[in-house]
Amino acid sequence: MESNKPKVALVTGGNRGLGLAIVKSLIDDDYSVVAAARSNTPELEELIANSDKVFFEPLDLSKRQEIHGWSKRFVEKYGAPYALINNAAIAHDGVLGTMHESQIEDVISINVTGTLILTKYISRAMLRNRLGRIVNISSIIASTGFNGLSVYAASKAALNGFTKSLARELGKINITVNAVAPGYMETSMSEGINDTQLDQIRRRSALKRLAETSEVASTVKYLLSKEAAAITGSILTVDAGNTA
Amino acid sequence: MSDVREVIIDSIHRVAEQNDLEISNELTDESILLQSGLDSLGFAILVADLEDNLGIDPFVMMDEPVYPTTLGEFVAIYEKFTKQEG
């Protein structure tokens, strides 16, 4: 890769919430960032209008058959990315006993199957450069559990296992694979958690507050930096001490 | 020697060289792929490299997973799918 060209980072679900915060954080550090998501948002459009380093590509991870072709077109257009941030995810709130089968399938299809298939093809482009960083956005719920989020928790626990094994597969060609496990943040993803629950989470956290999306995003940025070159197969928790 | 076969053999040598792997003997149709010198990650790189050079990944196009054992089987798969694409 030419050193004077900005490194390309692909952020799935980069149109809102934590994904958008990651996009913002990476453009500050001179990455060329492609936000891939099902739809664009006014916030992402504004970023694109004000920066020549942000791009949007429509991507629906539930359409498994389209991911190979999408990845091929992505690499033709932007080159092999330096970094892949697997942030796209959905959550259906509700106890397992009454959750519709289609909702269980949706969560696994996007958060796990689609994410793994995208990683397969994007990491193949990295293989040829013998360089790359993969960051999977997990959740503290993968290890702590949360009432009403069992399917989401299962999907995030899957990413933790994926992270560790893939780190072992790709380590010898200089590709690191890590996960970041955020605690509760004030994003649309935590809309199912009511104010009383959020207050309880704050009280039980060592820092007596929630983690900010910008703080989680800067952890992702750190994992992409030269300084983090020796970190692989790790799961970094950013939760204001909620699980301390 | 078919063009596809030639592209595959070239690619095997290139991938081996880039990854400090040594290709054991002269490659023939009977050569066992996993004894040829490429490891499993080497094969992943080979398939990616061939997708660049031949424009297809036949293993993605197949409805069922197939894992060829010999070089001859590997080449035959690429020849079959290259014809289909052409």
Side-chain angles (χ1 to χ4, degrees):
Chain A
M1 187 180 285
E2 291 172 38
S3 56
N4 56 345
K5 275 172 78 178
K7 289 175 174 173
V8 174
L10 167 58
V11 182
T12 68
N15 59 343
R16 59 166 63 92
L18 175 59
L20 188 69
I22 294 169
V23 172
K24 285 179 183 168
S25 170
L26 294 181
I27 52 172
D28 286 347
D29 229 15
D30 216 29
Y31 288 94
S32 185
V33 189
V34 183
R38 278 186 284 196
S39 57
N40 205 334
T41 56
E43 294 82 3
L44 180 60
E45 271 176 19
E46 197 187 324
L47 262 191
I48 293 169
N50 292 310
S51 168
D52 56 1
K53 293 190 299 183
V54 190
F55 307 90
F56 168 72
E57 290 291 337
L59 170 67
D60 185 347
L61 288 173
S62 69
K63 294 183 176 155
R64 188 168 77 80
Q65 310 288 355
E66 294 177 9
I67 298 174
H68 176 242
W70 187 93
S71 305
K72 218 171 154 178
R73 289 191 299 278
F74 179 91
V75 174
E76 281 164 10
K77 188 168 173 183
Y78 299 100
Y82 166 73
L84 167 64
I85 320 299
N86 284 316
N87 164 76
I90 59 163
H92 288 303
D93 186 24
V95 296
L96 185 67
T98 52
M99 189 175 288
H100 197 271
E101 286 180 21
S102 65
Q103 290 183 308
I104 296 173
E105 275 176 358
D106 280 353
V107 172
I108 300 303
S109 155
I110 291 171
N111 299 11
V112 184
T113 313
T115 296
L116 269 53
I117 291 174
L118 180 72
T119 308
K120 170 183 172 174
Y121 295 115
I122 295 297
S123 70
R124 275 182 14 173
M126 293 174 177
L127 289 178
R128 277 166 282 163
N129 282 348
R130 304 179 64 83
L131 176 74
R133 303 284 168 97
I134 298 170
V135 180
N136 298 316
I137 303 301
S138 179
S139 165
I140 57 167
I141 294 173
S143 50
T144 63
F146 197 86
N147 181 22
L149 285 174
S150 62
V151 179
Y152 178 77
S155 74
K156 293 302 184 181
L159 286 192
N160 287 356
F162 177 59
T163 298
K164 289 184 171 288
S165 290
L166 193 63
R168 292 197 172 271
E169 277 182 29
L170 300 179
K172 66 176 166 186
I173 47 161
N174 203 24
I175 298 174
T176 68
V177 188
N178 293 289
V180 171
Y184 306 91
M185 298 170 291
E186 284 177 52
T187 68
S188 54
M189 194 64 99
S190 54
E191 270 169 7
I193 302 171
N194 63 39
D195 287 346
T196 317
Q197 284 173 309
L198 280 178
D199 277 341
Q200 196 180 50
I201 291 162
R202 284 190 192 93
R203 273 202 316 277
R204 288 180 181 173
S205 298
L207 298 176
K208 306 296 174 196
R209 65 176 179 88
L210 303 180
E212 302 278 342
T213 52
S214 60
E215 293 168 318
V216 179
S218 53
T219 306
V220 172
K221 186 163 77 176
Y222 168 67
L223 287 170
L224 268 49
S225 70
K226 272 187 202 159
E227 289 75 13
I231 303 176
T232 195
S234 292
I235 299 163
L236 267 65
T237 300
V238 185
D239 67 348
N242 186 253
T243 54
Chain B
M1 191 185 275
S2 74
D3 288 349
V4 171
R5 189 190 159 87
E6 207 167 321
V7 170
I8 292 172
I9 304 270
D10 282 353
S11 184
I12 290 175
H13 286 292
R14 184 171 52 249
V15 169
E17 196 184 317
Q18 286 165 352
N19 292 280
D20 294 327
L21 299 165
E22 202 172 320
I23 299 301
S24 45
N25 295 309
E26 197 189 339
L27 294 170
T28 66
D29 275 355
E30 288 71 41
S31 300
I32 305 293
L33 291 172
L34 283 174
Q35 292 168 10
S36 66
L38 287 189
D39 56 7
S40 51
L41 188 63
F43 273 99
I45 302 171
L46 173 66
V47 171
D49 193 66
L50 288 173
E51 190 175 13
D52 276 355
N53 290 312
L54 296 170
I56 57 158
D57 176 350
F59 302 101
V60 174
M61 297 153 84
M62 291 172 172
D63 293 330
E64 298 291 331
V66 172
Y67 297 99
T69 310
T70 64
L71 180 65
E73 290 166 10
F74 188 79
V75 171
I77 288 168
Y78 274 88
E79 284 176 336
K80 180 181 164 195
F81 281 88
T82 308
K83 271 182 203 149
Q84 277 182 18
E85 277 294 286

Short mmCIF file of all heavy atoms in Angstrom, two decimals, chain A residues 49-72:
data_model
loop_
_atom_site.label_atom_id
_atom_site.label_comp_id
_atom_site.label_asym_id
_atom_site.label_seq_id
_atom_site.Cartn_x
_atom_site.Cartn_y
_atom_site.Cartn_z
N ALA A 49 -20.95 15.66 3.05
CA ALA A 49 -20.94 16.98 2.41
C ALA A 49 -19.76 17.82 2.87
O ALA A 49 -19.26 18.68 2.14
CB ALA A 49 -22.25 17.70 2.71
N ASN A 50 -19.29 17.56 4.10
CA ASN A 50 -18.21 18.38 4.66
C ASN A 50 -16.84 17.72 4.62
O ASN A 50 -15.89 18.25 5.19
CB ASN A 50 -18.55 18.75 6.10
CG ASN A 50 -19.74 19.68 6.17
OD1 ASN A 50 -19.76 20.69 5.46
ND2 ASN A 50 -20.73 19.33 6.95
N SER A 51 -16.74 16.55 4.02
CA SER A 51 -15.44 15.86 4.00
C SER A 51 -15.29 15.09 2.70
O SER A 51 -16.26 14.51 2.20
CB SER A 51 -15.34 14.91 5.19
OG SER A 51 -14.23 14.06 5.02
N ASP A 52 -14.10 15.10 2.16
CA ASP A 52 -13.87 14.30 0.95
C ASP A 52 -13.31 12.93 1.31
O ASP A 52 -12.84 12.19 0.48
CB ASP A 52 -12.95 15.03 -0.04
CG ASP A 52 -11.63 15.41 0.60
OD1 ASP A 52 -11.43 15.10 1.79
OD2 ASP A 52 -10.79 16.02 -0.10
N LYS A 53 -13.36 12.59 2.60
CA LYS A 53 -12.82 11.31 3.05
C LYS A 53 -13.89 10.35 3.56
O LYS A 53 -13.59 9.31 4.13
CB LYS A 53 -11.78 11.54 4.15
CG LYS A 53 -10.53 12.27 3.64
CD LYS A 53 -9.44 12.28 4.66
CE LYS A 53 -9.86 12.99 5.92
NZ LYS A 53 -8.82 13.09 6.92
N VAL A 54 -15.16 10.71 3.38
CA VAL A 54 -16.25 9.84 3.84
C VAL A 54 -17.13 9.46 2.66
O VAL A 54 -17.47 10.30 1.82
CB VAL A 54 -17.14 10.54 4.89
CG1 VAL A 54 -18.09 9.53 5.52
CG2 VAL A 54 -16.31 11.19 5.96
N PHE A 55 -17.49 8.19 2.61
CA PHE A 55 -18.31 7.69 1.51
C PHE A 55 -19.39 6.79 2.09
O PHE A 55 -19.23 6.22 3.16
CB PHE A 55 -17.44 6.88 0.53
CG PHE A 55 -16.24 7.65 0.05
CD1 PHE A 55 -15.03 7.58 0.75
CD2 PHE A 55 -16.33 8.48 -1.06
CE1 PHE A 55 -13.93 8.31 0.34
CE2 PHE A 55 -15.23 9.22 -1.48
CZ PHE A 55 -14.02 9.13 -0.78
N PHE A 56 -20.49 6.69 1.33
CA PHE A 56 -21.57 5.80 1.76
C PHE A 56 -21.77 4.73 0.71
O PHE A 56 -21.78 5.01 -0.49
CB PHE A 56 -22.87 6.59 1.95
CG PHE A 56 -24.08 5.71 2.10
CD1 PHE A 56 -24.28 4.98 3.27
CD2 PHE A 56 -25.00 5.56 1.07
CE1 PHE A 56 -25.38 4.14 3.41
CE2 PHE A 56 -26.10 4.72 1.19
CZ PHE A 56 -26.29 4.01 2.38
N GLU A 57 -21.91 3.49 1.14
CA GLU A 57 -22.24 2.39 0.23
C GLU A 57 -23.41 1.62 0.83
O GLU A 57 -23.34 1.18 1.99
CB GLU A 57 -21.06 1.43 0.07
CG GLU A 57 -19.88 1.99 -0.70
CD GLU A 57 -20.17 2.21 -2.19
OE1 GLU A 57 -21.09 1.56 -2.73
OE2 GLU A 57 -19.47 3.04 -2.79
N PRO A 58 -24.50 1.46 0.08
CA PRO A 58 -25.63 0.67 0.61
C PRO A 58 -25.27 -0.80 0.76
O PRO A 58 -24.69 -1.39 -0.16
CB PRO A 58 -26.74 0.87 -0.42
CG PRO A 58 -26.11 1.47 -1.62
CD PRO A 58 -24.77 2.01 -1.25
N LEU A 59 -25.56 -1.35 1.90
CA LEU A 59 -25.25 -2.76 2.18
C LEU A 59 -26.31 -3.32 3.12
O LEU A 59 -26.58 -2.74 4.17
CB LEU A 59 -23.86 -2.88 2.84
CG LEU A 59 -23.50 -4.26 3.41
CD1 LEU A 59 -23.34 -5.30 2.31
CD2 LEU A 59 -22.22 -4.19 4.25
N ASP A 60 -26.89 -4.45 2.73
CA ASP A 60 -27.85 -5.12 3.59
C ASP A 60 -27.29 -6.51 3.93
O ASP A 60 -27.28 -7.40 3.09
CB ASP A 60 -29.20 -5.24 2.86
CG ASP A 60 -30.28 -5.83 3.76
OD1 ASP A 60 -29.95 -6.37 4.83
OD2 ASP A 60 -31.46 -5.74 3.39
N LEU A 61 -26.82 -6.66 5.15
CA LEU A 61 -26.17 -7.92 5.55
C LEU A 61 -27.14 -9.08 5.63
O LEU A 61 -26.71 -10.23 5.72
CB LEU A 61 -25.46 -7.74 6.90
CG LEU A 61 -24.18 -6.89 6.87
CD1 LEU A 61 -23.67 -6.66 8.29
CD2 LEU A 61 -23.09 -7.54 6.03
N SER A 62 -28.45 -8.80 5.58
CA SER A 62 -29.40 -9.91 5.61
C SER A 62 -29.50 -10.56 4.23
O SER A 62 -30.02 -11.66 4.10
CB SER A 62 -30.78 -9.44 6.08
OG SER A 62 -31.36 -8.61 5.11
N LYS A 63 -29.00 -9.87 3.20
CA LYS A 63 -29.03 -10.44 1.83
C LYS A 63 -27.71 -11.15 1.56
O LYS A 63 -26.80 -10.64 0.87
CB LYS A 63 -29.30 -9.33 0.81
CG LYS A 63 -30.69 -8.77 0.99
CD LYS A 63 -31.05 -7.74 -0.03
CE LYS A 63 -32.51 -7.31 0.19
NZ LYS A 63 -32.79 -5.98 -0.33
N ARG A 64 -27.60 -12.32 2.14
CA ARG A 64 -26.37 -13.12 2.15
C ARG A 64 -25.78 -13.33 0.76
O ARG A 64 -24.57 -13.22 0.57
CB ARG A 64 -26.71 -14.48 2.79
CG ARG A 64 -25.54 -15.34 3.05
CD ARG A 64 -25.97 -16.49 3.93
NE ARG A 64 -26.71 -17.53 3.23
CZ ARG A 64 -26.13 -18.48 2.50
NH1 ARG A 64 -24.83 -18.50 2.36
NH2 ARG A 64 -26.85 -19.41 1.92
N GLN A 65 -26.63 -13.61 -0.21
CA GLN A 65 -26.15 -13.93 -1.57
C GLN A 65 -25.49 -12.74 -2.24
O GLN A 65 -24.77 -12.91 -3.22
CB GLN A 65 -27.32 -14.40 -2.46
CG GLN A 65 -28.19 -15.49 -1.88
CD GLN A 65 -27.48 -16.84 -1.85
OE1 GLN A 65 -26.37 -16.97 -2.35
NE2 GLN A 65 -28.09 -17.82 -1.22
N GLU A 66 -25.76 -11.53 -1.73
CA GLU A 66 -25.22 -10.34 -2.40
C GLU A 66 -23.87 -9.90 -1.84
O GLU A 66 -23.22 -9.02 -2.39
CB GLU A 66 -26.23 -9.18 -2.29
CG GLU A 66 -27.51 -9.46 -3.04
CD GLU A 66 -28.55 -8.35 -2.86
OE1 GLU A 66 -28.23 -7.29 -2.30
OE2 GLU A 66 -29.70 -8.59 -3.28
N ILE A 67 -23.45 -10.51 -0.73
CA ILE A 67 -22.27 -9.99 -0.02
C ILE A 67 -20.98 -10.22 -0.82
O ILE A 67 -20.11 -9.36 -0.85
CB ILE A 67 -22.18 -10.59 1.41
CG1 ILE A 67 -23.42 -10.16 2.21
CG2 ILE A 67 -20.91 -10.14 2.11
CD1 ILE A 67 -23.54 -10.77 3.58
N HIS A 68 -20.87 -11.38 -1.49
CA HIS A 68 -19.66 -11.65 -2.27
C HIS A 68 -19.48 -10.60 -3.37
O HIS A 68 -18.42 -9.99 -3.50
CB HIS A 68 -19.71 -13.06 -2.86
CG HIS A 68 -18.54 -13.38 -3.74
ND1 HIS A 68 -18.69 -13.68 -5.08
CD2 HIS A 68 -17.22 -13.40 -3.51
CE1 HIS A 68 -17.50 -13.88 -5.62
NE2 HIS A 68 -16.59 -13.72 -4.69
N GLY A 69 -20.54 -10.39 -4.16
CA GLY A 69 -20.49 -9.41 -5.24
C GLY A 69 -20.23 -8.01 -4.71
O GLY A 69 -19.46 -7.24 -5.28
N TRP A 70 -20.88 -7.69 -3.59
CA TRP A 70 -20.70 -6.37 -2.99
C TRP A 70 -19.22 -6.16 -2.60
O TRP A 70 -18.64 -5.11 -2.87
CB TRP A 70 -21.59 -6.25 -1.74
CG TRP A 70 -21.63 -4.88 -1.13
CD1 TRP A 70 -22.53 -3.89 -1.39
CD2 TRP A 70 -20.71 -4.34 -0.17
NE1 TRP A 70 -22.23 -2.77 -0.65
CE2 TRP A 70 -21.12 -3.02 0.10
CE3 TRP A 70 -19.57 -4.82 0.49
CZ2 TRP A 70 -20.45 -2.19 1.00
CZ3 TRP A 70 -18.90 -3.99 1.38
CH2 TRP A 70 -19.33 -2.70 1.63
N SER A 71 -18.64 -7.19 -2.00
CA SER A 71 -17.24 -7.09 -1.54
C SER A 71 -16.30 -6.92 -2.73
O SER A 71 -15.33 -6.14 -2.67
CB SER A 71 -16.84 -8.34 -0.75
OG SER A 71 -17.73 -8.55 0.30
N LYS A 72 -16.59 -7.63 -3.80
CA LYS A 72 -15.76 -7.54 -5.01
C LYS A 72 -15.81 -6.12 -5.57
O LYS A 72 -14.78 -5.53 -5.90
CB LYS A 72 -16.32 -8.54 -6.03
CG LYS A 72 -15.28 -9.25 -6.84
CD LYS A 72 -15.94 -10.35 -7.65
CE LYS A 72 -15.09 -10.62 -8.88
NZ LYS A 72 -15.62 -11.70 -9.69
#
